[in-house]
Amino acid sequence: MKLVVQVKLIPDAGQAPVLGATLRTVNERANWVSGVAFERGVPREYELRKHTYAELKVAGLGAQAAQQTIKKVRDAYTTLTANIRAGNLGKPGSKRRTRAESRPIVFRPDAAHPYDDRCLSWQYDAQTVSIWTVAGRLKNLRFACSADQLKTLREYRQGESDLLERDGVFFLIAVCEVPEAEQYTPDGFVGVDLGIVNIATTSTGYRAAGRSLNRHRTRQLDLRKKLQAKHTKSAKRRLKNRRRKERRHAANVNHIIAKQIVTEAERTSSGIALEDLGGIRQRVRLRKPQRVTLHSWAFHQLGAFIEYKARRAGVPLEYVDPAYTSQECAECHHIDKNNRATQALFVCRACGVVAHADRNASRNIAARGETAWIAGRESRVPATP
């Protein structure tokens, strides 16, 4: 299982300008390589290297840095092609797709740049790195991270690491190959119902209310409107900073919720049943004020956090079809849209059960998760002769 660890670099007064100049140089050269690739119809990496490698060396890039720059450009075009084929940039002839296909890919001056072990070495005990720059090898560059992150880096780091600059601060993002824990046989399932009023409600009674987060998003939306109305450079800069701050806040909330759910499931030796919400934005019909809330909440991110934390802890996880889980009674399984009396109240028209609507839905999800787990295990049992 691949995990990403981000550490903060702490360069001194002489090291920081060198790191900034390195990123600007490699991204400037990457833009030139991108132009060559676009003119020549985006050839394969080996063909692209023949047209650009010598020029990159003349520009001051080391041999491995030049190779990484070419690979970075070729990977960007591969990703663009995959997105076009998947329809992520719209249909043929659409404005967004035409714009993407009609010009070379452009890299920002502070965009991330990959480093392999020949250009970057880690000294974990001293918490320093030695890194290639356009001014030569930069040694004893300090970095900061938590004790858990340092342990993960020391034991599981593999492959490349990316150097990037964000608001004048430099980071290294390292890929770690962490082994998955062995799954246990679950004693029941914890169903998780995702929503907007309540971000997550479990069948065991845990509820993460979304009121404070929704208030935070509403406040951020009002601030964005005021800044957008100014049309100044400083306002645009503030907008970018606020967008990142809001994204970090939502990710932190998702991490906390996911950890709580996985910890509870692990403590009770249960599995986790999640709703398969793929395509929810296309399926759900909402009024305009509700669309902003739906499209701004990171359902996929929360599900991804729960999944990777469950895999790391060895907690079984099943995705289930969420259809009618909010209309079905968890006791008698009668389905009626009128069962959902209000957003928070569930009253079964058949057996009269009264329950919290999200708790009732999470119980249905838990039952479907257990059914899916049993069906999956039975399908692996070889037929008797």
Side-chain angles (χ1 to χ4, degrees):
M1 177 177 62
K2 284 184 170 57
L3 291 182
V4 172
V5 174
Q6 176 178 284
V7 301
K8 180 181 178 180
L9 295 179
I10 312 175
D12 58 32
Q15 294 171 333
V18 176
L19 290 175
T22 299
L23 274 181
R24 288 191 296 272
T25 300
V26 294
N27 283 306
E28 179 186 351
R29 291 292 86 196
N31 286 331
W32 174 77
V33 174
S34 178
V36 174
F38 185 78
E39 291 175 2
R40 296 183 175 273
V42 193
R44 294 182 180 273
E45 185 178 336
Y46 177 76
E47 184 71 19
L48 183 60
R49 189 180 296 122
K50 289 197 301 184
H51 297 291
T52 58
Y53 178 78
E55 183 69 23
L56 292 176
K57 289 282 291 179
V58 172
L61 272 63
Q64 200 59 28
Q67 302 276 18
Q68 292 291 346
T69 301
I70 296 168
K71 184 176 181 296
K72 167 183 171 178
V73 173
R74 191 62 188 87
D75 288 347
Y77 276 102
T78 301
T79 302
L80 175 63
T81 302
N83 283 326
I84 290 174
R85 288 177 178 173
N88 297 334
L89 299 180
K91 299 178 181 179
S94 66
K95 184 177 180 180
R96 185 182 179 191
R97 178 165 173 172
T98 302
R99 185 170 61 248
E101 293 176 326
S102 62
R103 59 186 181 184
I105 292 176
V106 177
F107 298 90
R108 301 186 314 275
D110 57 353
H113 186 74
Y115 280 79
D116 63 11
D117 289 341
R118 283 170 285 190
C119 298
L120 173 69
S121 60
W122 299 74
Q123 295 81 45
Y124 301 113
D125 292 334
Q127 283 197 217
T128 62
V129 295
S130 173
I131 188 171
W132 172 88
T133 68
V134 290
R137 194 83 175 187
L138 205 60
K139 298 182 179 180
N140 299 321
L141 176 58
R142 294 187 300 133
F143 68 87
C145 64
S146 67
D148 184 60
Q149 288 177 316
L150 184 60
K151 180 181 178 182
T152 303
L153 281 171
R154 187 192 301 270
E155 297 179 359
Y156 306 119
R157 188 192 65 80
Q158 287 186 2
E160 297 177 349
S161 303
D162 288 348
L163 172 68
L164 65 88
E165 180 183 2
R166 188 185 303 131
D167 299 327
V169 181
F170 295 94
F171 298 91
L172 276 174
I173 301 178
V175 178
C176 300
E177 188 70 37
V178 180
E180 296 182 23
E182 184 178 355
Q183 282 191 354
Y184 53 78
T185 301
D187 184 16
F189 271 76
V190 175
V192 182
D193 178 67
L194 303 179
I196 295 174
V197 176
N198 294 306
I199 300 172
T201 305
T202 69
S203 54
T204 57
Y206 170 72
R207 187 186 309 161
R211 187 179 303 125
S212 61
L213 182 63
N214 290 332
R215 282 202 302 263
H216 174 79
R217 287 188 175 278
T218 301
R219 186 165 61 251
Q220 295 297 323
L221 180 62
D222 292 339
L223 289 172
R224 282 201 302 271
K225 288 179 179 178
K226 293 178 182 178
L227 290 171
Q228 287 168 350
K230 293 183 178 296
H231 302 291
T232 61
K233 287 185 178 180
S234 60
K236 292 178 181 177
R237 186 168 58 250
R238 291 287 300 278
L239 275 169
K240 184 183 296 184
N241 292 337
R242 299 208 72 87
R243 182 174 67 249
R244 291 171 180 167
K245 185 176 181 180
E246 183 178 353
R247 189 186 303 126
R248 290 194 299 270
H249 178 75
N252 181 61
V253 171
N254 279 338
H255 271 297
I256 293 172
I257 295 171
K259 185 177 181 180
Q260 181 73 25
I261 292 171
V262 173
T263 301
E264 177 66 16
E266 186 180 15
R267 185 183 65 82
T268 57
S269 299
S270 303
I272 297 175
L274 279 179
E275 302 172 272
D276 184 1
L277 296 177
I280 185 175
R281 288 177 170 85
Q282 290 74 34
R283 296 197 312 266
V284 176
R285 295 174 178 267
L286 295 172
R287 291 175 295 176
K288 191 172 183 179
Q290 295 173 311
R291 294 176 202 158
V292 176
T293 306
L294 175 68
H295 288 273
S296 63
W297 179 241
F299 290 105
H300 176 74
Q301 185 189 67
L302 176 57
F305 286 173
I306 294 174
E307 180 179 357
Y308 98 78
K309 291 178 190 293
R311 290 170 60 188
R312 194 171 185 182
V315 177
L317 185 140
E318 292 285 344
Y319 284 97
V320 302
D321 184 0
Y324 304 108
T325 51
S326 62
Q327 301 176 14
E328 179 183 354
C329 176
E331 295 292 338
C332 69
H333 303 292
H334 172 69
I335 298 177
D336 189 338
K337 66 179 182 179
N338 294 321
N339 286 348
R340 188 77 178 257
T342 64
Q343 188 280 325
L345 182 62
F346 183 92
V347 181
C348 181
R349 304 297 176 179
C351 66
V353 164
V354 178
H356 189 280
D358 293 339
R359 177 73 183 280
N360 176 81
S362 66
R363 291 179 61 194
N364 289 326
I365 293 169
R368 295 186 185 186
E370 188 166 1
T371 301
W373 171 266
I374 294 173
R377 303 304 292 180
E378 289 178 347
S379 65
R380 299 189 189 100
V381 177
T384 56

